[in-house]
Amino acid sequence: MHRVGSAGNTTNSVRPRKEKRLAYVLSDADDTKHCAGINCLKVLKSTVSNGCDYLFTGSRDGTLKRWALSEDSASCSATYESHVDWVNDVVLAGDSTLVSCSSDTTLKTWNCLSDGTCTKTLRQHSDYVTCLASAEKNSNIVASGGLGGEVFIWDMEAALTPVSKSGEAMEEDCLNGVNGSTNSLPMTSLRTISSSNSISAHTTQGYVPVGAKGHKESVYALAMNDSGTRLVSGGTEKVVRVWDPRTGSKAMKLRGHTDNIRALLLDSTGRYCLSGSSDSMIRLWDLGMQRCLHSYAVHTDSVWALASTPTFSHVYSGGRDLSLYLTDLATRESLLLCTKEHPISQLALHDDSIWVATTDSSVDRWPAEAHNPQKVFQRGGSFLAGNLSFPRARVSLEGSIPVPVYKEPTLTIPGTSALVQHEILNNRRHVLTKDTAGSVKLWEITRGIVIEDYGKVSFEEKKEQLFEMVSIPTWFTVDTRLGSLSVHLDTPQCFSAEMYSADLNIVGKAEDDKVNLAHETLKGLLAHWLAKRRQRLGSQASANGDVLSGKDIAPRSLAHSRVEVDGGAENDSMVYPPFIFSTVSPPSMVTEGYQGGPWRKKITDLDGSEDEKDFPWWCLDCVLNNRLPPKENSKCSFYLHPCEGSAVQILTQGKLSAPRILRIHKVVNYVAEKMVLDKPLDNVNTDGTFAPGLGGHVQHSVVGDGSFRSGAKPWQKLKPSIEILCNNQVLSPDMSLATVRAYIWKKPEDLILNYRLAQGR
């Protein structure tokens, strides 16, 4: 699990606080499939006869899915989308509440039988939340653990109960981290455990508990007994800590593992504990006697997942060695049930089968015989698990490699291939990607679609084939952390890229109109939201134009001494074709407002009620008011000189300036217009400059991109054929000044262009 930088400025730095970013996640795949590794599983058994059992899966793609199970099939019946990073664990609290945790530092609750709407976001952790534990017979208690050594015990009934508060108190809670779009969390419902002190109750309304000072050890595993009277935790400290959630006291600390503890199980009474570690060992502990009863050397690498039979007589274990084993805790007999192509991340028993999740996006069901595991051992092929760490215990196997009992799963829930490689192309609208299956695709990020599927070809070769000699500012960043393409927009950098409407093939718009790529992309992303918002505001508000509501937007906007209004937008909300996003596979928006935490939602699920509390202010200011931050370095300075030995010369006033995106053919027009067209050689002074007044044209010091719109101009009838050169290289008329500077000039000094009559004319 790798770290990502925090978006907030948590130090006492005096530098300006970084504005909240906006991102969107693209998908061309079936929404009913995961597109990244599965981190967690949970089975919900039906309480009625002939009812449907469900499997819940949480993935590194940031979503959870509910699968309706039958004997020979599993169909996706809901997708739970709100987390903005990996979903790391999931538990059930009672019959209807699903609780998930994520690397986005939050816990979220869901009605597990609903269509997938998040009912509450719980924010107390300061770092990734890695694991959860719940009590089978006490649906009110859920524990969460994560990086930074934090463990919290949640009273779910109190956490989910609406609390009547004044508006100020509600806003205070929102700012302190409980999602403002749902009910606020009473802090009396929370106890915190740090790595080495007792659980301390926090009763102050709106108070966010501070992480234990100096405790840097991370928690990777939690387990609780059925009644919720005992909690065990483990992580990078290599010890099993035992807690009593009722009194808040730390009961004991058990030593024995030599590496990180990655998986824990408690029996129903809370007396016996099983632990799996990165040292490849499984240990059975008697908490009453406070000692290790047995060690099982079964695996050849880290143990990541454990599941026990109902009587706690046998344990199923999986991990980094791609193998699923069944071990008799009493006789130490072990069987290799199956081997996988990817490390095993989680296990979940379901009747006499076991669901196996891996770092791949699919989930398999294998036979398990959990109610009568001896049936499996009768097949033969078992070995005696040693009690030493595996490099030494390997001798006890006498060199024999166990043969898997099962060759094929009884059912597979397939996923799609995760993206693992990407390259932003020079045109700054296309991204080339490669997935785990080796398939290479070309995306257009301003529409969120795949425009070319090349199949299994060389990524590097395709990248070279698609190279274009164009220079456009970097206005977005991308990553594939979630297995799909995430596009990130940060202000003001995202507003740095412009193109002419002619280059985007926008019909009905003047060809010289400049189009800001980020502005139009944001309009496309929020088109559905804007339509829903207008419906909510009613016809009167629409007729008067959209006005930002809320006290937070205007002061922020006015704080900028220079704010540009995008004149090219013509104050309309029309979305041009190059920026219309797919409604079949709509992207998901990921962002963070100013009250509450980060959130993720499909752009077609936005209902128009979201406002400045939910979106970054700069995003709304752009879409509703067409206001963009001031552009930096949008101009390019250059000198225009005749080629050496050329008799054709024009008068210019020193250095010229033009937009970076200006095409060379505009410079050609400029030179042609400045020339005396009928008898150019007769009108040149002896000093090589234009005779003042000849030709009747005004001398330009700025080459404007709108100076030479198409239309009948007398001089164009006699327009000579001009070539523009840089570094003695003839330039293509379609090149922009920025491209010439980046690829031909290649110097920090001001650009020097030369002109001459085209050769052979």
Side-chain angles (χ1 to χ4, degrees), residues 253-327:
K253 185 162 62 175
L254 304 170
R255 300 182 184 277
H257 283 295
T258 59
D259 207 337
N260 300 343
I261 293 168
R262 298 298 303 265
L264 289 167
L265 284 180
L266 275 178
D267 76 331
S268 58
T269 66
R271 175 169 180 177
Y272 296 104
C273 172
L274 277 165
S275 58
S277 166
S278 296
D279 62 14
S280 79
M281 298 295 290
I282 300 169
R283 289 181 178 268
L284 176 63
W285 309 84
D286 185 326
L287 303 187
M289 299 172 66
Q290 299 192 24
R291 71 184 185 91
C292 177
L293 296 178
H294 295 289
S295 299
Y296 306 91
V298 176
H299 291 268
T300 60
D301 207 334
S302 300
V303 181
W304 288 356
L306 297 172
S308 73
T309 55
T311 59
F312 217 70
S313 62
H314 295 71
V315 64
Y316 300 86
S317 57
R320 198 171 173 180
D321 60 3
L322 321 181
S323 302
L324 175 65
Y325 288 96
L326 170 62
T327 304

Side-chain angles (χ1 to χ4, degrees), residues 636-700:
C636 178
S637 299
F638 64 98
Y639 292 96
L640 194 56
H641 297 319
C643 285
E644 192 175 341
S646 171
V648 180
Q649 298 186 22
I650 62 171
L651 179 67
T652 61
Q653 291 183 332
K655 189 191 297 184
L656 300 171
S657 176
R660 287 169 48 86
I661 61 174
L662 190 84
R663 301 290 185 187
I664 291 300
H665 74 79
K666 296 285 187 182
V667 182
V668 169
N669 285 353
Y670 175 78
V671 172
E673 187 181 11
K674 295 282 283 182
M675 287 174 61
V676 180
L677 300 173
D678 49 349
K679 294 179 180 178
L681 296 179
D682 294 342
N683 294 323
V684 177
N685 285 345
T686 54
D687 61 358
T689 60
F690 271 109
L694 290 180
H697 290 294
V698 178
Q699 297 167 357
H700 290 264

Side-chain angles (χ1 to χ4, degrees), residues 580-609:
I580 295 176
F581 284 87
S582 166
T583 54
V584 178
S585 295
S588 297
M589 183 171 286
V590 177
T591 190
E592 185 174 0
Y594 292 93
Q595 296 181 7
W599 54 271
R600 166 176 165 169
K601 191 182 279 190
K602 288 216 176 316
I603 59 171
T604 49
D605 290 339
L606 298 171
D607 61 10
S609 65

Side-chain angles (χ1 to χ4, degrees), residues 48-67:
V48 297
S49 59
N50 299 323
C52 180
D53 292 348
Y54 290 111
L55 175 69
F56 295 94
T57 54
S59 170
R60 295 178 181 185
D61 65 15
T63 69
L64 298 105
K65 293 188 186 295
R66 183 184 70 212
W67 307 88

